[in-house]
Structures are given as structure tokens and as C-alpha cells.
Amino acid sequence: MTSPVLEMSNVSKTFGSVKALSNVQLTLYPGEVHALMGENGAGKSTLMKVLSGAYKPDAGARILIDGKPVNITDPISSKAAGVSIIYQELALSPNLTVAQNMYLGRELHSYGVVSREKMLKDVEPVLRRLGAQFTGSTIVGTLSIANRQLVEIARALHADSRILIMDEPTTTLSSRETEGLFAMIRQLRSEGLAIVYISHRMDEVYELADRVSVLRDGTYVGTLDRDQISPDAIVRLMVGRELSSLYTKTHKPDLSDAKPVLEVENVSDGTRVRNCSIKLHAGEVVGLAGLVGAGRSELAQAIYGFRPRTTGTMRLHGREFSPDSPRASINSGVAYLTEDRRGNGLFLDMSCRDNTNTAVLKRDSKWGFVLNRRKADERARGAIKDLKVRVPGPEYPVGGLSGGNQQKVLLSRWLEIEPQVLILDEPTRGVDIGAKSEIYKIIDALAQKGVAILVISSELSEVIGIADRIVVMREGVITGEVGGATGIAPTQENIIGFATGATAPVAA
Amino acid sequence: MAGNSDNAAAADKKAAGGGVKLQGVMGALGMLPVLILVAIGFHIISGGRFFTGQNINIVFQQASVNTVLAAGMTFVILTGGIDLSVGSILAAAAMAGLITSTMPELSYLWVLVALFVGTGFGIVNGALIAGLRLPPFIVTLGSLTAVRGLARLMGGDTTIFNSDIPFAFIGNGTLTIIPGLVAIPWLAIVALLVIVASWFVLKRTVLGTHIYSVGGNEAAARLSGIKVPRIYLIVYGISGLFSGLGAVMVSTRLFAANGLQLGQAYELDAIAAVILGGTSFVGGIGSIWGTLVGALIIAVLSNGLVLIGVSDIWQYVIKGLVIIGAVALDHFRQKGSART
């Protein structure tokens, strides 16, 4: 048995009166991928920020590296101790070259003049070792997200880090890029690095992790060894109870003679979407799967009137439907939940009440312009109760809520317009497992009430779990459909087949 | 990232309930104690000459025009924009108004003309910003210069006088509340009415909520069906309208207008008042009451520094430092509000 490279114990962190971490421990061995799991707010990020020097732990924490106590007070001392962290939002300057980024803050220079040539030469071996397709002189802004991650990894290796923390690295990657990343992680593991891998995706953890440590409510719950790892075991540790079933699908769309609510025919947007046709029936949940960049969100936004349509026609309840703005769609009862709730969904500084009421303010107002505050309050309280939003009150700013509760507030905005068609773009991204299962229940209940729902998701198990049938896109084109009346089984393999082009597209 | 906001959320939850509301009030009135302390300080240093009925009226009069301009500026800054052209628009509107007032058959319409010209220039700003998606700073920097030129053109680069300008009471009259005891200058009443109207629009109407929404997250506003270009058009139009109203106030006070000098650097005082009042430069956060307090702080500073005999030159230095201090405060507020 090798000796651990890192031992953390008795780590606590208090913010004001709130204990974010309480006596947490974590042990890492060289050459292992150690998954760190827990719901949002369980303390994963806080623990990693303590390790990377962004937060100072409370007194009494013990951090040993190679058996020797180290004092991590800031990011610099953490780096010096051999720890590197790769955040979800990559910390690179897009306007600089790869080499400049790798040397950021510790540029090689002689008498203040930066030695560009030497820096370029120095980073080459690391880039070659990682099999990078770019050189040190490439401008980072021109690289894909996956390659930027590679730059971050290269930077960590270049700084001789032995502990690498990756915070949800695959969120923005396509499946192919994810595979590349996994290969890279395995290579680093075989080279003896200790990797802390934070992810919400069970299948990734199952595939990659040698051990899993679970946090819940700021406390350490336990560690599973490779042979003990199973989704059930992890979920049990994370939520502290058995989850009977993550997915809910009790609705039964009656498609016998029902006419579709929304018919989309040959819609293109001139760039990312080409001649897409899709039909949604009342009470039906249709999944829209595909790799990242396949044009799923773009198709949804073209339907919603947020992106211009260059070709195609649409019908809502048989009548022509041609929205030129989100407002027009909303007025017709078509809603779109964005995949980026913080970026273009919520008003983070505003209250839950305002966020819930955004789309119905005018409808509720007196004389078309004076706010109806009583009604707004009623709606907000109703939404908080119906969707089980955990929030102190409707006045509370939505920016202070956890991801799952933020998502419920955003969802409530669209439920208030009583939509007939609801397009959900990655409705459970960055949402903890408890809130996930609640969102699935909400989707199911909406379908039972007759709403036609289109769910875009990159998590295959999710679309398979909740959708009646799944439409698959690849490079802007709808390449296939599985489940429902298609006769093709809704399995991950079949979906990936259509999504990657491994299977020849079948005629509709 | 997530951990950070989650923890902040958890921390806030403890203090929640009434705490949130209190925070809002503190945000709006954050500068009120400063205003009171500064005023009391001047009162003491000046040997009791600050809190006299006459001096208070002078402070209100001095604050009034800036308050009106700053109210318009609040609308603009709440959307994350800026309007550098308010001083120039004020000059142009005043010129147009005074020229009209000298036409015998139209003289009574001069107020409407001034308001109309002000609103018109504001809407042009808004149209360029909303329609061509140009940065507000650039557009209004351009109109700062161009409209100033137009103002000079209008009067042939001379000063226009009109000693019988209609509605002259606005600039010089007072409204007697208690005969012989309390009389409030009309300028102050106009400014207060503007503040109350702005408060109503911002806090009690759909438009107001949409203005905060656009400033808080423009992309989300568009996706939520808010017609964002329309909001820009309206806020710059309001800023122009209030500049026109400022022109009415200044012209009735002076019985004259001059395209070159009138309203010079007024935009800076207006922006300073808004920022002092706690409205975030990024947009989405702020209140009109804060702006009123900010405008009063600037007026009290100007008045008080004169009262205690500080030289004109040092007044500039002190006012400038106060503005920087205010932006520093804005910065700390941003940090404190756990926004990522």
C-alpha cells in the first residue's frame, strides 16, 4: 500500500453563523481518481476551495501532503504544495496564447523583458505529452472548450502539480470530447497523479472513479471503494435515504386520434438548424437528444421566435404559428426554459416574486401598466408551495438560492403563463439529485394536465427515463427517432448511434 | 462558485424574513446618514448658519435642477446605460423654449416646446442605442457635443433674454404652506414631484419592473418576452424629457438661455447624484430615493463649502473626492451582495 499524497482531516469552515463544512476528511492516494459527490450545497466546492487556498479553513484543520503538515493560506501556497484546480468556468485569458496562459503570473523574463521564445519552447514537452493538437503560440480564444481544458491540465502539469482537482469538467463537453478527457484522466492516473473529480453525473463517476467520497450538508458521510461503487449506494449516501426511483413517468399520452398541438415543418435558422420537422401532442413528453453543438437549443430558440427562421412553417392547434419574438410565442402559450438559467434566465438581484411574475406582469396589471402586487404575491406564494421551492419568502433574491431552487423559480415563470407547449432546455443541469427528481415529477404532472413538452437533455438516462419518444439531432439535422411508435428501442446505444452518425439515418 | 453562493444563501437564510426588507431599506437610505452628518457638520462649523429657513430654501433650489436630471439619469443607469448628453439637451431645450417664448402668439407654449425638444433628443439617443446597438457611452458622448452645437446654432450663438417669460413663478416663486412661516420654492416642488412620479413608475408599474429586469439581465429579459429596445427608447426618452424640464426650471430662474454656457458639466453632477444614491453602474440595482439623497448631498456640499468660506477651487477638489468615495462604496456594495 502506497502512502497517501493528501490527508485532510477535521476541516471546518464557517461563514458568519453558518457551518459550510464541519469536521470533513478526505484522503487521496497517488494514482487514483477520487470522485467527490454530494448535492449542491453539500460542501464539495467549499472543501476544494480550502484545498486550493481560496478559503481559509477554521482553526483545527489538519492538511498533510506526503505525510507532512502544510499550511495552505492562499492560492500561491496551495500551488507550491502541488495542488491545481480546474474550475468549471475555465480561468484562462482568451486573448493570450497558450504559453502565455500557462505562464500567467510567473512569466519567464530577463530584466523585465518577457522571454517569449523560451516560454514557447518550455511548454512544448507538456503539450506533446498530452497529445495536444495545438502549440504554445495558439491564441486560447480560438480553441474549443475541450482544448481549453487541455490547456488548464497542461498548466497544472507544467507547474508539477501532483493533485489535480476537476470541478464538473464535462458539463460543457460533447460525448466525444468527454471520451477524450477520460482517456487523458486515465493517462494522468497511470502517471501517478491524484485526481479529485467532482461531478453530478453518476455514469461518469461509475466509469472513472477508483473511490468515491460523499459529503452531505457539510459533513463527511463516507467513502466507497471501487468494488462498492454503484449508483444506488452513492445516492443512498448522498440523500441519506432510499430513492425509490429517480424518474417519474406516469402520464400516458393518448395519441389515438389526437391532432398535434405543435407542428414544426422544415424549419432552418440559416446557420445551425437545417430543415427540422417535429410534432408535439398534448400530454406528451418528447425528448430531444444529440451531442452538444448539434443544434438542439438553436432549434428550440427558432421555434420560440428568439432566433430568426429562414425556412419552414409551424402550426399551433392547426393554425399558422409564426412568432417573430419571444413575446409573440408567450402570447400564444409557447414557453422556453433556457439552458443557462444564470446567464439568460433569471434576474439574480431580483426577488423570487419578480422572477416568477416576469412573463405575466402586463396580463395582471391594472389599466395595462400599474402593477398588481397582490396578485403577484399570490402567484409567487403559490409557485413556492406547488414546486416546493426552498426559500425564506417571495421577497428573497433568487441569486441566493441553490441551483435546484433557482431552476424551480425559473420554471415557475413559465408555468404562470399556463403554456400549451413547454420547451425545456437542460432542465436539470447543475441541479442536485433531490431537486432533479422533483423536477421530473413536475414535468410528469404537466404532461398529465395536457401540456405538450419538449425536453432537451444531454443526459441520456434522463431523456430515456422521462420521455415518451426521443428525437435525435446531429449537426443541425434530425437524424432519427426512438421509442414511442417508431419500433426502435429507446436505448443509449440507439440514441448515440443517431447522434454520432454511426447508424444510417432512417427515413421518417 | 456554486459553493460560494450556496453558502452565502445559507448565511442569508438565517437572517431572512424581515432581514431582506431591512437590507433593501438600508440600500436605499444608505447615504441618508451621510447627508444628515454633513449637514449638521456644516451647521456647527458655520456657526449655526446652515439650518436657517432661508438657507434651506437655497439648498433646495440649488438641488432641484440636478435632482430632476439625476432622476432621468437613474432610469438610464438602472438599465446599465449612461446619458452624458443631459447638460447639452438642457441647453438646446432651453434655447428652443426661450425662442418660442419671445414669439407673441406662441409664448405660452414655450414650456411644451422645451419638454418636446428634450424628449426628442432623448429618443434619438435611445433609437441609436436600441436600434443600432451602439454603446450608450459613445452615443451620448457624441450627442453631448452635437446637441451643444445645435443649442448654439439655435440662438445664433447669443444669449436670448425674455424678462416676461410665462410661468416665471416656477423659477422664482414660492408656494406658501403656512403664511409667514413656511414657503417652499416651486423649483423644489417640481423636483419632488419628479421624484415621486419616478418612484411610482419604477416601483409600481410594469414598465418599472421591466427597466430593472433589462438592467439586471438583458438576455433573460428578451427571453421573457420583454421588448428590450422599447425599454431603451423609453429610458433615454425620459432622461431627455427631464432634461427639458430642467431647461424650463433654469430658464424661468434666469429669464435667459445661452447655448454655450447653460448646463455645462451638468451630466457629471447628475451621474454623481445617482451613484451617491447607491444605484449600481452595472444596472438593475438602485432606487430613486437614493438619487434624491445623492442630489441633496451634492447641493449641501456646494452650499456648505461656500458658507464656511472654502475657496471655489477647493470645492472642486472636495466634490471630486466625494464622487470617487461614492464609487468605492458602490464597489463594496457589489461585493457584499454575493453576486457572482
Side-chain angles (χ1 to χ4, degrees):
Chain A
M1 195 76 197
T2 47
S3 54
V5 59
L6 171 79
E7 288 168 274
M8 296 175 90
S9 57
N10 227 6
V11 178
S12 299
K13 176 71 192 167
T14 322
F15 294 98
S17 58
V18 173
K19 243 188 152 100
L21 290 177
S22 142
N23 296 326
V24 171
Q25 62 183 78
L26 180 70
T27 306
L28 285 183
Y29 290 93
E32 76 162 335
V33 175
H34 195 120
L36 188 59
M37 298 197 75
E39 301 193 21
N40 280 347
K44 304 178 301 264
S45 297
T46 312
L47 181 64
M48 290 304 107
K49 281 181 174 166
V50 166
L51 183 56
S52 64
Y55 290 157
K56 238 176 92 87
D58 298 346
R62 269 168 59 84
I63 302 177
L64 305 182
I65 287 185
D66 292 330
K68 286 188 274 299
V70 288
N71 193 9
I72 292 176
T73 51
D74 53 29
I76 296 168
S77 54
S78 163
K79 270 236 164 73
V83 180
S84 276
I85 183 161
I86 298 175
Y87 287 107
Q88 216 171 329
E89 288 91 3
L90 300 178
L92 295 172
S93 300
N95 53 332
L96 301 180
T97 64
V98 169
Q100 281 171 326
N101 267 291
M102 288 172 64
Y103 271 107
L104 210 59
R106 49 187 192 104
E107 286 82 1
L108 300 177
H109 62 85
S110 53
Y111 306 108
V113 179
V114 173
S115 323
R116 292 186 53 187
E117 292 305 318
K118 184 156 171 30
M119 279 164 42
L120 277 179
K121 252 205 354 253
D122 274 14
V123 300
E124 284 315 318
V126 179
L127 293 179
R128 227 173 301 132
R129 176 171 147 209
L130 293 177
Q133 304 287 317
F134 49 85
T135 67
S137 57
T138 313
I139 300 286
V140 164
T142 63
L143 295 174
S144 69
I145 300 288
N147 275 330
R148 289 184 205 192
Q149 248 171 12
L150 209 55
V151 176
E152 287 258 26
I153 295 172
R155 174 155 76 180
L157 295 184
H158 191 66
D160 291 325
S161 296
R162 287 172 311 132
I163 300 168
L164 186 61
I165 306 164
M166 306 183 91
D167 192 355
E168 301 236 26
T170 59
T171 333
T172 44
L173 299 187
S174 68
S175 323
R176 203 174 310 161
E177 290 170 330
T178 301
E179 271 168 36
L181 177 72
F182 283 6
M184 178 70 50
I185 291 175
R186 292 198 179 96
Q187 183 195 329
L188 297 175
R189 169 169 65 189
S190 67
E191 289 174 10
L193 258 79
I195 295 161
V196 179
Y197 189 88
I198 301 178
S199 175
H200 278 120
R201 297 192 183 166
M202 208 64 80
D203 38 354
E204 289 180 358
V205 170
Y206 196 64
E207 187 179 337
L208 213 54
D210 300 302
R211 294 196 302 151
V212 180
S213 284
V214 179
L215 299 183
R216 190 202 314 149
D217 299 330
T219 58
Y220 170 81
V221 191
T223 299
L224 299 170
D225 286 328
R226 177 77 230 178
D227 51 355
Q228 300 169 314
I229 297 175
S230 74
D232 281 348
I234 296 172
V235 169
R236 212 172 319 148
L237 285 182
M238 278 170 67
V239 298
R241 63 189 147 89
E242 298 276 347
L243 267 195
S244 54
S245 136
L246 185 55
Y247 304 112
T248 313
K249 189 154 75 180
T250 61
H251 68 277
K252 286 229 166 53
D254 174 22
L255 307 172
S256 50
D257 65 350
K259 288 231 295 245
V261 176
L262 179 71
E263 294 165 87
V264 174
E265 255 170 57
N266 291 322
V267 162
S268 313
D269 74 342
T271 53
R272 309 280 295 276
V273 179
R274 283 176 290 143
N275 296 323
C276 288
S277 301
I278 206 165
K279 283 191 176 82
L280 299 181
H281 294 84
E284 188 186 26
V285 178
V286 177
L288 183 55
L291 305 179
V292 170
R296 297 166 302 167
S297 299
E298 288 79 4
L299 171 61
Q301 290 169 1
I303 295 172
Y304 185 55
F306 188 58
R307 269 177 172 264
R309 290 177 303 277
T310 51
T311 65
T313 54
M314 302 197 289
R315 277 185 300 280
L316 189 66
H317 289 299
R319 277 194 300 274
E320 196 195 329
F321 173 62
S322 180
D324 57 357
S325 68
R327 182 80 254 163
S329 270
I330 293 167
N331 290 342
S332 305
V334 177
Y336 168 70
L337 181 96
T338 170
E339 62 180 323
D340 181 5
R341 66 175 166 270
R342 291 176 77 89
N344 51 26
L346 293 166
F347 306 104
L348 295 172
D349 299 313
M350 293 169 73
S351 63
C352 292
R353 185 186 63 195
D354 286 344
N355 273 287
T356 296
N357 282 281
T358 312
V360 291
L361 282 179
K362 193 131 202 165
R363 194 183 292 182
D364 287 348
S365 64
K366 266 178 263 175
W367 311 303
F369 70 96
V370 179
L371 291 176
N372 184 340
R373 305 205 303 160
R374 194 183 49 78
K375 180 85 184 167
D377 221 52
E378 227 168 71
R379 284 187 187 274
R381 285 178 194 286
I384 289 169
K385 192 163 148 278
D386 293 347
L387 304 191
K388 301 195 181 76
V389 185
R390 273 171 285 277
V391 57
E395 291 294 330
Y396 196 81
V398 79
L401 302 181
S402 71
N405 286 310
Q406 285 186 354
Q407 188 71 335
K408 288 182 191 171
V409 171
L410 187 58
L411 189 56
S412 79
R413 177 186 299 164
W414 299 121
L415 300 191
E416 291 306 324
I417 72 164
E418 292 173 11
Q420 295 167 330
V421 176
L422 185 57
I423 306 172
L424 304 172
D425 200 348
E426 303 284 2
T428 65
R429 173 179 286 175
V431 162
D432 64 68
I433 205 153
K436 257 187 186 177
S437 103
E438 286 174 29
I439 289 173
Y440 298 142
K441 284 201 182 81
I442 295 166
I443 293 173
D444 186 57
L446 287 169
Q448 259 173 358
K449 277 199 269 175
V451 182
I453 300 170
L454 182 67
V455 179
I456 300 173
S457 175
S458 295
E459 259 186 85
L460 291 181
S461 48
E462 174 174 294
V463 264
I464 293 168
I466 63 173
D468 300 304
R469 58 192 170 91
I470 297 152
V471 175
V472 188
M473 278 182 85
R474 180 167 75 93
E475 289 170 12
V477 179
I478 290 178
T479 49
E481 185 176 329
V482 302
T486 57
I488 306 173
T491 60
Q492 304 218 358
E493 291 72 31
N494 286 339
I495 296 174
I496 290 172
F498 285 123
T500 57
T503 318
V506 245
Chain B
M1 283 281 150
N4 192 6
S5 58
D6 283 351
N7 292 322
D12 283 3
K13 263 174 206 162
K14 293 251 159 153
V20 174
K21 217 160 208 161
L22 190 70
Q23 252 180 6
V25 173
M26 289 298 287
L29 300 181
M31 283 289 179
L32 190 57
V34 176
L35 172 63
I36 293 169
L37 283 178
V38 170
I40 292 174
F42 280 132
H43 189 69
I44 295 168
I45 299 173
S46 66
R49 283 181 293 143
F50 185 83
F51 284 113
T52 63
Q54 197 194 358
N55 192 53
I56 292 298
N57 270 356
I58 291 173
V59 171
F60 280 155
Q61 269 176 359
Q62 283 176 343
S64 61
V65 174
N66 188 33
T67 303
V68 171
L69 296 185
M73 192 70 75
T74 306
F75 281 84
V76 171
I77 292 182
L78 277 176
T79 64
I82 189 91
D83 188 350
L84 298 175
S85 64
V86 290
S88 297
I89 292 181
L90 181 143
M95 289 306 288
L98 258 146
I99 292 168
T100 313
S101 78
T102 56
M103 302 175 183
E105 63 278 18
L106 294 175
S107 65
Y108 278 89
L109 291 178
W110 81 271
V111 169
L112 285 180
V113 169
L115 297 181
F116 183 80
V117 168
T119 311
F121 281 124
I123 286 180
V124 171
N125 277 339
L128 289 170
I129 290 159
L132 302 182
R133 295 181 164 268
L134 298 176
F137 190 94
I138 308 293
V139 169
T140 59
L141 182 65
S143 43
L144 162 79
T145 312
V147 177
R148 173 66 62 189
L150 289 176
R152 292 176 64 178
L153 271 181
M154 274 188 236
D157 211 7
T158 59
T159 303
I160 310 250
F161 296 94
N162 183 355
S163 53
D164 332 301
I165 194 166
F167 306 106
F169 72 91
I170 294 175
N172 302 284
T174 53
L175 180 70
T176 307
I177 307 286
I178 307 169
L181 265 180
V182 183
I184 302 172
W186 273 103
L187 284 178
I189 293 172
V190 171
L192 198 63
L193 287 178
V194 163
I195 292 291
V196 172
S198 301
W199 166 81
F200 182 79
V201 170
L202 286 173
K203 292 293 183 186
R204 288 287 186 266
T205 67
V206 176
L207 173 65
T209 312
H210 285 179
I211 287 170
Y212 278 96
S213 305
V214 169
N217 189 339
E218 190 193 314
R222 282 196 292 154
L223 275 172
S224 305
I226 295 172
K227 291 181 183 125
V228 175
R230 209 177 124 242
I231 302 293
Y232 285 135
L233 212 58
I234 291 173
V235 295
Y236 288 93
I238 289 176
S239 181
L241 171 69
F242 286 173
S243 302
L245 185 58
V248 171
M249 296 161 80
V250 173
S251 328
T252 49
R253 180 131 187 90
L254 302 175
F255 299 97
N258 174 301
L260 179 57
Q261 284 147 8
L262 205 62
Q264 282 281 10
Y266 276 22
E267 62 279 352
L268 300 182
D269 272 355
I271 293 168
V274 175
I275 298 299
L276 273 173
T279 296
S280 159
F281 239 171
V282 197
I285 308 172
S287 87
I288 196 75
W289 298 112
T291 298
L292 176 62
V293 171
L296 286 174
I297 289 177
I298 291 173
V300 166
L301 272 178
S302 305
N303 175 276
L305 290 172
V306 173
L307 268 190
I308 63 174
V310 173
S311 82
D312 179 49
I313 303 166
W314 276 103
Q315 288 181 33
Y316 274 94
V317 176
I318 294 170
K319 274 167 77 176
L321 291 178
V322 167
I323 292 166
I324 294 172
V327 176
L329 266 173
D330 179 50
H331 187 69
F332 284 119
R333 222 189 302 258
Q334 292 271 332
K335 270 193 177 164
S337 71
R339 189 176 166 172
T340 39

